Amino acid sequence: MKPPAACAGDALDTAAPCSEVNYLRWDLSAQQIGELTVELIEQTKRVYDQVGSQKFEDVSYESTLKALADAEVSYTVQRNILDFPQHVSPSKDIRTASTEADKKLSEFDVEMSMRQDVYQRIVWLQEKIQKDSLRPEAVRYLERLIKLGRRNGLHLPKDTQEKIKSIKKKLSLLCIDFNKNLNEDTTFLPLTREELGGLPEDFLNSLEKAGDDKLKVTLKYPHYFPLLKKCHVPETRRKVEEAFNCRCKQENCAILRELVTLRAQKSSLLGFSTHADYVLEMNMAKSSQVVATFLDELAQKLKPLGEQERAVILELKKAECEKRGLDFDGRINAWDMRYYMNQVEETRYSVDQNLLKEYFPMQVVTKGLLSIYQELLGLTFNLEENATVWHEDVKLYCVRDSASGKVIGKFYLDLYPREGKYGHAACFGLQPGCLRQDGSRQIAIAAMVANFTKPTPDAPSLLQHDEVETYFHEFGHVMHQLCSQAEFAMFSGTHVERDFVEAPSQMLENWVWEKEPLLRMSQHYRTGDTIPQELLDKLIKSRQANTGLFNLRQIVLAKVDQALHTQTSADPAEEYARLCQEILGVPATPGTNMPATFGHLAGGYDAQYYGYLWSEVYSMDMFHTRFKQEGVLNGKVGMDYRSCILRPGGSQDASVMLKLFLGRDPKQDAFLLSKGLQVDSSEPPAC
Ligand SMILES: [Zn+2]
């Protein structure tokens, strides 16, 4: 298909002169973090006071919208300097100070979001101003501020506003604590080499000692996932899976109940029947009913596939029990899932993950990944030597638009686990790419934080293929942050609809399943050989392995999240157990409480976890309609993608961007096919 005309030839850089300054700093002491927090609050409050105390007849675009937007730019950067260290600083004192700062600033955010005096002046401006005197993005900003004001109840009676404000403050503190508890969890299990049977030697050698003959297995990803996949001692898997899903059980279970209740109360004060409906109003899906239908239909379609796959892994289990002389209990337990799903990959698809990872040393993967992104998106990356960073493992890169040579942003890579560090993989926007007060463009800066397998004394860091996929995914978010050219910080980078935000990063995951890119990001760490053709073919085929069970599990998680935010009386652990049994056919381990470890519920994805599956509809459509047709390394499509999908940030609705890039409205076909499902051509286009 021909690229849509509206994308082609678009200039990628706005006329505004660009300031290349990195305003971030990582040298603050715990005490300075505290002091600067107070200062930042005072300084920002002064702007709000000024805006809110103007006489109505003095209200103008400059004195109101621009003043608030300018304050937001510097506030966002300063806030990130103060609150990001809680996730990454090697010093516990600094992490604690940073968490405290985050709490204070979150409370302040609530205060500012509830400023009725400011809101009234924006409403006044909207009534008075000629819309066509504003640039389109400024109109969007104006409308968004009014919408957000109403979503905070600023049009409601004062006592209702007070109630909302107090709930919002409690909510933000509870969310910070929920995730803090998980990050700071240091639970480990001391296990013998015998108990760790089946795990490769390099894994065992990487473990710290715990006493004479025991090794320390933590519950961090690089320990948990390989163990659940490879350890052939069921009792060990059971213990570790149980411990993993009991992390922070007591404290987070209590927090979760309170979160759910408070969210429902707030939504009800605002006139919504459920918290999900309140949240979804701002998303592509619009209502909890639409989400429920999407998930139910998908679950229905995937069910037969899931049943087939479960039967296959049950057979594998039976055979393994016979081989090892173990009792066969006739069912798949939660701690069996990953183990036998991995066996499916190894036996049915003959992909040996331990052999495969020898072709994915971190350095080669990084080099390949960076070169693919540079080529595809017309960018040039340069490592900044001796950059100031927060830990010696961290690297900083400068990003230029290749055509113009202009710096468009920078990114940090922080790839290995450390104690107290954020436990998942994520991209943090640190300096929004947007216009500054003087009209110059501020470069965008983001950090990718992950927990990949560390190097050992005898081998470099060797990545599992799914780690390579995570790497591509998170880096997709980084590119979204850097390539967006919004005017307002509010619309910069990944500030798009939450059920679209994963689409750009998911789309780039496709590259780790395609021959050409795979060859570019792999090389045997000892021999320097490329991946043998046969292994490569097998790997690519194995993408279809376990799709039923994998996606049904995503549906379970999405439905737990929806259930908690539509029926407040639902008990999280019970609801999770019920859905696991019903949808996945695999019971949750008794005594565990997976929802208490489900960071998304307190990390801005409340009632929105479905967004991972929902945005895959778009990521698959974009990939198959354009890249797969015109070439996965086709720079022309890459540039269209950069200008239609990444460049607008949140300054346009996702549906508009998609239509531009696809040349039509999105369809579910590619998504369903990628899940191994049939496409019924009589179905109307969904979503
Ligand atoms: Zn993501």
Side-chain angles (χ1 to χ4, degrees):
M1 199 191 74
K2 279 209 146 192
C7 291
D10 263 1
L12 275 169
D13 295 293
T14 48
C18 191
S19 145
E20 295 182 11
V21 184
N22 177 349
Y23 294 94
L24 303 163
R25 54 183 294 194
W26 311 115
D27 57 347
L28 297 176
S29 65
Q31 193 192 340
Q32 283 173 309
I33 289 179
E35 289 162 4
L36 287 172
T37 302
V38 176
E39 219 170 274
L40 177 61
I41 287 175
E42 281 168 5
Q43 183 188 319
T44 311
K45 185 170 176 296
R46 270 200 293 278
V47 178
Y48 276 77
D49 289 346
Q50 225 159 34
V51 173
S53 62
Q54 292 173 92
K55 291 199 190 100
F56 281 97
E57 57 269 30
D58 294 339
V59 166
S60 67
Y61 170 75
E62 276 73 23
S63 74
T64 308
L65 290 191
K66 182 153 190 325
L68 292 170
D70 290 341
E72 193 178 350
V73 178
S74 46
Y75 178 72
T76 308
V77 175
Q78 295 306 315
R79 196 191 198 292
N80 291 331
I81 292 173
L82 300 168
D83 80 358
F84 180 60
Q86 71 181 301
H87 306 294
V88 294
S89 173
S91 145
K92 184 155 172 108
D93 284 349
I94 291 180
R95 290 201 302 274
T96 307
S98 174
T99 305
E100 281 314 305
D102 191 12
K103 288 185 172 175
K104 277 204 188 107
L105 291 162
S106 298
E107 211 167 334
F108 174 68
D109 289 340
V110 173
E111 285 288 342
M112 294 309 101
S113 72
M114 298 301 292
R115 289 286 294 255
Q116 197 183 26
D117 53 350
V118 172
Y119 173 71
Q120 284 165 341
R121 274 141 190 94
I122 301 168
V123 172
W124 172 276
L125 182 70
Q126 190 193 33
E127 282 160 9
K128 204 181 73 168
I129 204 162
Q130 293 280 346
K131 285 269 176 65
D132 52 14
S133 71
L134 294 179
R135 294 185 311 280
E137 201 176 316
V139 175
R140 188 175 172 90
Y141 184 60
L142 173 62
E143 286 167 354
R144 184 63 60 88
L145 288 182
I146 289 178
K147 178 101 184 170
L148 294 176
R150 290 184 72 84
R151 284 172 61 74
N152 282 322
L154 297 180
H155 60 302
L156 298 174
K158 204 75 202 166
D159 64 322
T160 313
Q161 289 182 35
E162 285 306 317
K163 281 185 203 151
I164 292 171
K165 193 199 283 187
S166 117
I167 293 177
K168 282 185 65 160
K169 284 187 181 175
K170 283 187 204 152
L171 283 172
S172 63
L173 297 184
L174 289 168
C175 285
I176 293 170
D177 283 337
F178 188 95
N179 282 306
K180 179 85 182 160
N181 291 340
L182 290 169
N183 289 346
E184 297 286 342
D185 176 77
T186 50
T187 311
F188 67 87
L189 284 81
L191 295 163
T192 61
R193 281 190 167 244
E194 214 157 59
E195 288 170 308
L196 293 167
L199 282 153
E201 205 54 28
D202 63 338
F203 178 87
L204 298 175
N205 289 340
S206 76
L207 300 176
E208 279 177 42
K209 300 248 179 316
D212 289 347
D213 59 342
K214 298 210 168 177
L215 296 168
K216 215 167 159 178
V217 172
T218 70
L219 301 175
K220 305 289 176 203
Y221 288 177
H223 287 180
Y224 179 70
F225 289 122
L227 189 143
L228 271 247
K229 279 183 188 172
K230 294 295 285 184
C231 180
H232 64 56
V233 185
E235 180 55 15
T236 305
R237 293 200 308 271
R238 193 196 61 75
K239 274 197 224 159
V240 174
E241 191 268 343
E242 186 178 38
F244 187 77
N245 287 315
C246 281
R247 281 173 302 155
C248 313
K249 187 169 131 179
Q250 235 55 44
E251 57 275 41
N252 276 6
C253 194
I255 293 179
L256 187 55
R257 279 172 193 280
E258 212 178 334
L259 275 178
V260 165
T261 310
L262 289 170
R263 284 170 180 158
Q265 278 172 12
K266 179 170 84 111
S267 305
S268 154
L269 288 168
L270 289 164
F272 290 85
S273 50
T274 69
H275 177 66
D277 284 308
Y278 165 76
V279 167
L280 294 168
E281 182 195 38
M282 300 300 280
N283 281 8
M284 297 181 84
K286 296 288 179 254
S287 78
S288 58
Q289 193 48 54
V290 175
V291 172
T293 308
F294 172 73
L295 293 174
D296 287 339
E297 282 181 6
L298 190 58
Q300 206 53 41
K301 288 182 179 138
L302 286 166
K303 208 173 172 196
L305 194 57
E307 275 164 10
Q308 276 170 29
E309 290 173 9
R310 217 173 51 237
V312 168
I313 63 177
L314 198 59
E315 276 305 308
L316 289 172
K317 180 169 172 175
K318 196 173 169 202
E320 163 121 352
C321 287
E322 275 164 23
K323 185 176 119 192
R324 297 192 185 279
L326 300 164
D327 285 339
F328 176 58
D329 58 6
R331 61 174 201 186
I332 296 297
N333 301 300
W335 59 89
D336 293 328
M337 276 264 287
R338 286 180 199 277
Y339 182 75
Y340 290 105
M341 280 162 78
N342 185 62
Q343 268 200 9
V344 169
E345 284 175 24
E346 290 185 355
T347 58
R348 302 253 156 163
Y349 293 86
S350 316
V351 177
D352 179 347
Q353 298 288 352
N354 278 335
L355 174 63
L356 190 64
K357 76 178 182 195
E358 298 189 351
Y359 291 92
F360 292 123
M362 174 65 91
Q363 231 187 340
V364 175
V365 175
T366 301
K367 194 162 165 257
L369 175 144
L370 298 181
S371 84
I372 289 169
Y373 271 98
Q374 290 178 83
E375 215 172 289
L376 206 55
L377 300 176
L379 301 170
T380 309
F381 304 159
N382 289 107
L383 179 67
E384 290 202 354
E385 305 285 350
N386 308 319
T388 323
V389 291
W390 51 88
H391 185 269
E392 58 191 12
D393 286 350
V394 182
K395 302 253 182 296
L396 176 65
Y397 288 81
C398 179
V399 178
R400 287 186 162 76
D401 172 56
S402 301
S404 67
K406 273 191 196 163
V407 174
I408 63 159
K410 297 187 182 200
F411 62 85
Y412 296 92
L413 295 181
D414 182 356
L415 303 174
Y416 301 109
R418 292 189 291 276
E419 197 163 292
K421 181 179 150 178
Y422 181 79
H424 309 267
C427 165
F428 292 81
L430 297 174
Q431 179 168 299
C434 59
L435 299 185
R436 293 180 63 79
Q437 190 168 12
D438 61 3
S440 65
R441 173 160 293 282
Q442 171 170 292
I443 56 166
I445 304 180
M448 178 181 159
V449 178
N451 289 278
F452 294 135
T453 306
K454 278 178 143 178
T456 64
D458 349 289
S461 158
L462 298 174
L463 298 183
Q464 300 274 342
H465 181 256
D466 55 10
E467 292 183 302
V468 179
E469 191 175 33
T470 301
Y471 202 166
F472 263 73
H473 176 100
E474 296 308 335
F475 202 77
H477 288 308
V478 172
M479 288 297 101
H480 199 179
Q481 294 281 1
L482 265 66
C483 292
S484 87
Q485 297 274 309
E487 293 173 23
F488 292 86
M490 182 176 270
F491 302 127
S492 65
T494 52
H495 288 118
V496 295
E497 290 99 317
R498 191 31 72 101
D499 53 0
F500 179 69
V501 75
E502 297 301 329
S505 44
Q506 287 168 341
M507 198 197 68
L508 272 306
E509 284 176 23
N510 286 296
W511 273 252
V512 309
W513 297 103
E514 296 283 329
K515 208 167 266 181
E516 215 185 326
L518 272 172
L519 285 171
R520 282 179 54 170
M521 63 178 101
S522 61
Q523 191 176 46
H524 195 276
Y525 82 100
R526 265 188 286 110
T527 63
D529 291 345
T530 49
I531 304 188
Q533 191 63 36
E534 205 197 331
L535 184 57
L536 199 60
D537 290 336
K538 285 174 181 161
L539 170 67
I540 292 170
K541 273 209 191 89
S542 76
R543 192 176 191 180
Q544 289 294 327
N546 310 305
T547 45
L549 290 174
F550 179 80
N551 286 288
L552 285 168
R553 185 174 147 74
Q554 286 293 83
I555 294 176
V556 169
L557 297 180
K559 282 179 83 87
V560 170
D561 173 34
Q562 289 297 310
L564 295 179
H565 295 112
T566 49
Q567 329 144 17
T568 38
S569 55
D571 177 273
E574 274 173 28
E575 196 60 24
Y576 175 72
R578 187 181 68 77
L579 288 162
C580 277
Q581 188 63 59
E582 203 176 288
I583 293 176
L584 207 54
V586 176
T589 305
T592 59
N593 193 328
M594 186 277 156
T597 71
F598 192 2
H600 288 83
L601 297 179
Y605 277 81
D606 39 312
Q608 307 182 86
Y609 192 80
Y610 77 96
Y612 282 93
L613 283 165
W614 180 279
S615 24
E616 239 186 291
V617 172
Y618 310 119
S619 63
M620 284 300 174
D621 202 1
M622 289 192 285
F623 179 69
H624 285 276
T625 308
R626 297 292 313 273
F627 287 99
K628 194 76 185 166
Q629 302 296 323
E630 296 166 58
V632 293
L633 294 174
N634 180 328
K636 170 71 182 69
V637 189
M639 282 308 267
D640 279 350
Y641 175 72
R642 181 175 154 197
S643 48
C644 295
I645 304 290
L646 302 181
R647 186 189 180 201
S651 67
Q652 280 175 19
D653 290 346
S655 56
V656 174
M657 301 185 231
L658 283 163
K659 205 167 173 176
L660 266 180
F661 183 67
L662 295 167
R664 57 158 169 75
D665 285 321
K667 291 195 294 195
Q668 262 202 7
D669 298 16
F671 168 72
L672 294 175
L673 287 170
S674 76
K675 307 281 173 226
L677 297 170
Q678 301 291 322
V679 174
D680 176 1
S681 54
S682 65
E683 251 175 84
C687 308

